Amino acid sequence: MDNWQELEKKYFMRTVERAPVTLVKGRGVYVWDDNGRQYLDFVGGWAVNSLGHCHPVVVEAVQKQVAELIQTSNHYYTIPQVRLAQLLVENSCLDRVFFGNSGAEAVEGAVKLARRYGKLRLNGAYEVISATGSFHGRTLAMVSASGQLKHQQPYTPLPSGFVNVEFNNIEAIKKATVEKTCAVMLEPVQGEGGVNVPDDGYLKEVRSWCDEKGILLILDEVQTGMGRTGTLFAHQQFGVEPDIMPLAKGLGSGMPIGAILARESASVFSPGEHGSTFGGNPVTCAAAFATTRYIIENDIPGNARRVGKHLAEGLDRLKEKHSFITEVRGRGLLLAMEFDSDMALSLRKACLAEGLLVNDVKTDALRLMPPLIIGETEVDAALAILDRVLSRI
Ligand SMILES: Cc1ncc(COP(=O)(O)O)c(C=O)c1O
């Protein structure tokens, strides 16, 4: 057999330190490597495999569509994207949709839409206020929007038009709001920043402030959307509605798709002002339609809420037992466990050796984001592995 890991080292740009595992197959909440070893997957394609690996409804939708029509120009109507747009609008507080291919593209498109709104309605305002610890993607503009120095410093000077202010601090947003501000952009729960849940009331205060100032609220639900936190969209738990909402990750259950949803009043693009060659691709849209319909019809957000509670309770028990666990936090099936020292990498490696995939979201925190179809039995199996690993530290 070829040594895939050696070949990767020879040919790839060095953007990631991969775990020494070559995955070849996935079903449900499990993946297998090229030696036939099975792993319980609490990374889930980075919070992407909402229905697990190779869910039959997704496989069937892709197989059917790929044999009919794979790609056309957006100069023509295609059916899967219209069906998906209708389903998303009918199940959200928003009115219009644009499809792209990834989270970064969706969030960047959301910022373009806010800037267009600023030009047309707010005397040319263009600046977007975002939060420290946020993550909005890897394009140059999204690096500038993401309030994390480790992503920004390698690429300075960064595109202008973004100010990063402290997360969970309404006064910081008020202070940063100026004539040229067109929008505030936040993740309802920060994912890559370490699973940070804001205080009750924060998002409501942000919403009121945006209304008072006439500026837009963009809620980046790329990671929190599609049931991940226990409701179809995380903002529903905080009693607020965004003007613009980028989605991606769980939307296609593994097929690459991003979407911008917006209120009618904020949908100010005119023909030719935004676009994407592959955006709205029939195959990815068919997968996303099948995923979204399944999520809604089978109350997958409810499963994320119930099983997420079971997982959180299990993690709380581990916290009682192991004094170096300082906090368990998150919503639904987006959870993190923080430690009193930088032990996340060694824990991640120890879990891998025991057949459990987890993410060291920070040097001192592990993040758990399994498929949303997971049951309590698999959660108990993961908790048993975590307990064994934590007991050895
Ligand atoms: C909230 C949020 N926005 C945007 C992105 C970027 O998505 P992508 O990696 O698909 O470009 C991510 C990715 O982790 C994310 O968590």
Side-chain angles (χ1 to χ4, degrees):
M1 190 186 292
D2 284 320
N3 189 331
W4 302 112
Q5 293 174 26
E6 286 307 313
L7 289 173
E8 191 269 0
K9 284 186 176 53
K10 182 168 175 204
Y11 293 117
F12 259 71
M13 292 191 193
R14 308 239 51 83
T15 61
V16 57
E17 293 289 349
R18 298 184 208 252
V21 172
T22 306
L23 299 176
V24 293
K25 181 177 153 177
R27 289 289 180 279
V29 296
Y30 294 99
V31 286
W32 285 263
D33 70 14
D34 56 352
N35 296 313
R37 177 145 195 241
Q38 178 179 298
Y39 302 84
L40 190 46
D41 187 3
F42 272 55
V43 174
W46 223 262
V48 164
N49 299 104
S50 44
L51 301 186
H53 294 275
C54 299
H55 193 287
V57 299
V58 180
V59 171
E60 194 195 331
V62 169
Q63 283 177 339
K64 232 168 134 184
Q65 187 57 46
V66 88
E68 285 298 326
L69 181 67
I70 295 178
Q71 163 73 6
T72 69
S73 155
N74 273 314
H75 244 76
Y76 309 99
Y77 295 92
T78 51
I79 298 167
Q81 62 175 238
V82 180
R83 292 177 80 203
L84 177 60
Q86 182 181 22
L87 189 62
L88 288 172
V89 165
E90 286 179 352
N91 287 281
S92 71
C93 59
L94 299 162
D95 305 304
R96 290 189 181 269
V97 175
F98 174 87
F99 292 121
N101 307 283
S102 69
E105 187 189 348
V107 191
E108 179 132 353
V111 168
K112 281 178 75 181
L113 185 59
R115 280 198 177 201
R116 195 73 197 106
Y117 185 89
K119 215 178 248 306
L120 295 169
R121 311 261 162 89
L122 301 172
N123 297 318
Y126 62 90
E127 199 166 77
V128 173
I129 300 172
S130 60
T132 51
S134 66
F135 186 79
H136 299 292
R138 302 280 193 164
T139 62
L140 213 43
M142 289 307 98
V143 162
S144 193
S146 301
Q148 296 194 53
L149 284 181
K150 69 175 180 193
H151 296 305
Q152 295 183 335
Q153 268 166 350
Y155 301 107
T156 54
L158 295 172
S160 58
F162 298 94
V163 271
N164 308 142
V165 304
E166 193 184 13
F167 184 57
N168 201 23
N169 178 345
I170 181 66
E171 292 311 318
I173 288 179
K174 289 185 176 175
K175 224 171 123 195
T177 307
V178 288
E179 279 291 291
K180 60 185 177 187
T181 307
C182 67
V184 175
M185 178 162 78
L186 300 167
E187 297 158 82
V189 174
Q190 290 188 335
E192 300 305 304
V195 188
N196 306 313
V197 184
D199 294 338
D200 284 346
Y202 169 67
L203 288 175
K204 271 193 180 156
E205 285 178 313
V206 177
R207 176 71 270 179
S208 303
W209 179 249
C210 289
D211 290 342
E212 192 180 322
K213 292 289 157 188
I215 58 178
L216 299 174
L217 177 60
I218 305 172
L219 289 181
D220 177 349
E221 295 241 21
V222 163
Q223 184 154 161
T224 53
M226 306 317 294
R228 170 67 47 194
T229 64
T231 43
L232 188 57
F233 306 112
H235 66 254
Q236 294 167 297
Q237 290 172 50
F238 294 95
V240 295
E241 291 184 351
D243 300 303
I244 305 176
M245 174 173 70
L247 293 175
K249 289 197 184 278
L251 179 57
S253 200
M255 292 295 281
I257 181 166
I260 315 167
L261 275 70
R263 269 185 212 285
E264 185 68 49
S265 57
S267 297
V268 293
F269 284 143
S270 294
E273 287 181 355
H274 192 52
S276 171
T277 297
F278 293 114
N281 170 275
V283 181
T284 54
C285 284
F289 179 81
T291 300
T292 307
R293 189 169 62 179
Y294 190 93
I295 286 175
I296 293 165
E297 286 181 355
N298 295 279
D299 190 22
I300 296 300
N303 190 65
R305 201 163 53 241
R306 281 186 299 277
V307 181
K309 185 166 174 279
H310 183 75
L311 176 57
E313 285 168 358
L315 295 175
D316 279 333
R317 281 195 301 278
L318 292 178
K319 178 170 173 279
E320 293 295 304
K321 184 169 169 189
H322 305 285
S323 60
F324 52 87
I325 303 175
T326 54
E327 193 183 3
V328 172
R329 57 177 181 254
R331 289 276 171 108
L333 285 169
L334 181 60
L335 294 169
M337 193 164 43
E338 192 161 287
F339 311 101
D340 64 4
S341 63
D342 290 346
M343 59 174 74
L345 177 61
S346 51
L347 285 171
R348 190 249 280 169
K349 288 181 176 172
C351 285
L352 180 75
E354 295 263 351
L356 173 67
L357 306 185
V358 293
N359 162 239
D360 47 328
V361 67
K362 289 168 71 179
T363 53
D364 61 354
L366 287 182
R367 176 175 44 167
L368 307 173
M369 42 187 171
L372 308 181
I373 44 101
I374 196 167
E376 294 189 356
T377 314
E378 291 112 350
V379 162
D380 290 342
L383 287 167
I385 294 174
L386 279 169
D387 191 19
R388 273 205 301 281
V389 165
L390 292 163
S391 300
R392 283 206 304 267
I393 277 284

